[in-house]
Amino acid sequence: MNDILPAEIGRWHAVERAFRRTMEGLAYREIRTPYVEPTPLFVRAIGEETDVVQKEMYSFVHHDEPLTLRPEGTAGAVRAYVEHGVHNHEPITRWYYLGPMFRGERPARGRYRQFYQLGAECLGDAGPGCDAEMIDALAGFLREIGVEAPDVFINSIGSGDTRAKYREALVAALTPMKDSLSPDSQRRLTTNPLRILDSKHPADAEAVATAPTILDFLSEADRTHWDNLRRQLDALGTPYKVDPKLVRGLDYYTRTLFEIKGSYDKLGAGSTLIGGGRYDGMVKDLGGPAVPAIGFAAGLERLLIASNLEVSPSVVDVFVAPVGEGTDAPALVLARDARRAGLRCEVDTRKASMKAMLRRANALGARVCLIVGDREVAEGVVELKDLASQVQEKVARADVVARAAAVVGSPAPPPQEGGA
Ligand code: AMP
């Protein structure tokens, strides 16, 4: 779990802003759900046999009630959707969220115990139009925040019947090699055989390579959905790769599955930036009507590692430096006037030397320093110093805020040879 200090927060804000802009452009609205939910919600929604439920949840009992810090956002969103009967009010629901998630995993680069996810859920549309739109918009979002060449992988794991038939075929193919599988995969052969496909254990490599492919088992309806998804992605011009081994770690998925990876050089094994898919059965499983849905989640820390986005480190536009006795009050008033004009402003009432104050002004990235001295106050003027050009001028108190705003809004001159 990490502290995020103010020096880093500018990049977080920039990615969050880009995400909100993307989702609101697609008619999604923000939902905020509690960080804590009853444990059975996650067990039910995510699946008993998943790593998240078996090994990673922060669960505790409070007054006899089993509770868990949310390890992901979909279960809580669907719980809220059912609890508030949202399907009664609108045929299609588009929600996005951002916030912390908690998983007790082994920490690694891009893998934390409290991490932040950006995600969204579209409920009420069986797709594949909204699937294609979501994937295309996410690739665009990644490019916008400076992830070059995002790599989109898609698969279909079909719906109930397809899955049952495929599961049978997979178990039949893998059972003869059971003894050579990793211990985890041996167990999964009876509990969750599909997960063997994304095992990274070297002992499972051969079994995974020779296993039958789910795309050969799609029912007619699943096949139509899959073909149309690809056709629509083609029409949108989003490049993608089909990965029939893509199964993902959460049990709730049906039909469309996707992952977007990028920045392999910076993230290595943790280069999955966004994971998502369709979960047509979950609303009903959690006590609602049969409502189809699709969603995704992106790891914010990973997006920040992957993105080459740069943001201005400037904290203020204007720095007000009172000099001498009795200048604090006029300085405070001047700073407030500057803020009312929309300028970010710090006033330094430490009684520090001019040199120390200018050092502070530069450290904060101020463009303008307003010097308020006894004589200036008596004369009704302020010394305005453009910290980029080093030009200083005397400005009437009545005009100084407008003048400061004009300087802040003007381009900074190129740095002088040898420094000013
Ligand atoms: P999931 O909810 O497992 O489908 O994960 C969705 C995305 O969340 C992943 O692709 C990662 O980008 C991110 N993510 C998942 N677990 C972690 C973690 N422990 N630390 C950081 N990011 C994570």
Side-chain angles (χ1 to χ4, degrees):
M1 299 188 186
N2 298 308
D3 298 314
I4 303 149
L5 297 178
E8 304 162 59
I9 208 76
R11 298 184 78 237
W12 287 67
H13 286 167
V15 171
E16 289 166 10
R17 263 197 308 273
F19 178 68
R20 287 178 189 276
R21 209 166 39 237
T22 299
M23 296 320 295
E24 287 170 14
L26 294 160
Y28 283 70
R29 289 178 298 162
E30 183 178 354
I31 171 148
R32 298 188 187 186
T33 62
Y35 295 178
V36 181
E37 299 272 0
T39 303
L41 171 69
F42 296 117
V43 176
R44 186 107 207 238
I46 300 172
E48 190 97 51
E49 279 304 323
T50 56
D51 284 353
V52 172
V53 168
Q54 295 230 323
K55 306 182 201 158
E56 298 169 1
M57 295 207 300
Y58 285 103
S59 300
F60 57 99
V61 175
H62 183 252
H63 293 315
D64 294 333
E65 188 182 10
L67 298 170
T68 292
L69 299 184
R70 63 181 190 187
E72 56 91 67
T74 301
V78 172
R79 195 249 333 119
Y81 178 85
V82 172
E83 190 171 319
H84 298 275
V86 178
H87 61 279
N88 293 318
H89 310 298
E90 54 188 30
I92 300 177
T93 297
R94 300 183 202 274
W95 283 348
Y96 76 84
Y97 61 85
L98 32 95
M101 306 294 163
F102 304 85
R103 294 184 196 173
E105 295 194 69
R106 205 163 41 79
R109 184 154 181 75
R111 187 169 289 285
Y112 312 100
R113 291 180 169 170
Q114 174 173 331
F115 58 101
Y116 289 76
Q117 280 190 340
L118 312 173
E121 320 294 345
C122 173
L123 301 113
D125 185 337
C130 60
D131 312 21
E133 180 184 63
M134 185 177 271
I135 293 167
D136 172 64
L138 288 171
F141 161 69
L142 288 179
R143 281 190 289 266
E144 191 184 329
I145 61 166
V147 177
E148 284 152 24
D151 233 353
V152 176
F153 296 89
I154 60 171
N155 190 22
S156 172
I157 51 166
S159 39
D161 269 2
T162 297
R163 284 268 276 280
K165 283 200 196 109
Y166 177 65
R167 200 186 140 111
E168 225 172 85
L170 187 62
V171 172
L174 296 183
T175 303
M177 326 181 188
K178 184 170 177 192
D179 295 341
S180 70
L181 296 177
S182 68
D184 264 353
S185 291
Q186 292 193 12
R187 190 170 49 79
R188 285 184 176 135
L189 205 50
T190 44
T191 57
N192 196 355
L194 263 67
R195 284 310 308 277
I196 298 174
L197 295 178
D198 72 352
S199 161
K200 303 285 177 287
H201 201 289
D204 299 327
E206 194 197 331
V208 171
T210 56
T213 291
I214 188 145
L215 293 172
D216 294 334
F217 287 76
L218 294 184
S219 68
E220 205 171 315
D222 289 338
R223 161 77 44 198
T224 305
H225 193 277
W226 171 241
D227 289 344
N228 283 333
L229 170 68
R230 296 176 57 184
R231 209 166 290 137
Q232 291 171 21
L233 282 173
D234 290 340
L236 287 163
T238 305
Y240 59 83
K241 295 170 190 148
V242 173
D243 177 4
K245 302 278 191 287
L246 175 62
V247 291
R248 298 195 49 69
L250 314 177
D251 264 1
Y252 48 61
Y253 290 114
T254 51
R255 291 190 169 166
T256 309
L257 272 188
F258 64 94
E259 276 186 354
I260 311 185
K261 301 188 184 190
S263 296
Y264 299 97
D265 51 332
K266 296 185 203 155
L267 280 158
S271 50
T272 301
L273 299 169
I274 303 181
R278 187 157 275 293
Y279 52 93
D280 291 338
M282 195 197 295
V283 178
K284 192 151 188 248
D285 279 351
L286 295 183
V291 173
I294 182 167
F296 69 84
L300 190 41
E301 289 86 351
R302 291 187 196 188
L303 293 179
L304 286 162
I305 296 171
S307 130
N308 56 21
L309 201 72
E310 283 183 31
V311 298
S312 160
S314 162
V315 178
V316 296
D317 303 307
V318 172
F319 186 86
V320 178
V323 183
E325 287 306 310
T327 52
D328 276 5
L332 290 170
V333 174
L334 174 57
R336 193 184 58 191
D337 288 352
R339 292 185 196 111
R340 284 181 177 165
L343 297 168
R344 298 170 304 156
C345 190
E346 178 174 293
V347 50
D348 187 342
T349 54
R350 289 177 297 166
K351 303 270 181 289
S353 69
M354 195 61 222
K355 195 171 155 209
M357 288 198 284
L358 280 174
R359 200 182 307 126
R360 169 95 182 142
N362 283 312
L364 292 177
R367 175 67 192 274
V368 164
C369 182
L370 299 176
I371 303 161
V372 182
D374 291 316
R375 193 152 34 114
E376 284 83 2
V377 172
E379 290 172 7
V381 296
V382 173
E383 286 286 347
L384 183 156
K385 181 165 187 169
D386 180 338
L387 294 171
S389 68
Q390 300 295 319
V391 173
Q392 189 162 323
E393 54 182 320
K394 221 186 260 302
V395 183
R397 171 64 178 84
D399 303 329
V400 73
V401 171
R403 178 73 195 129
V407 174
V408 167
S410 68
Q416 303 274 303
E417 276 294 312

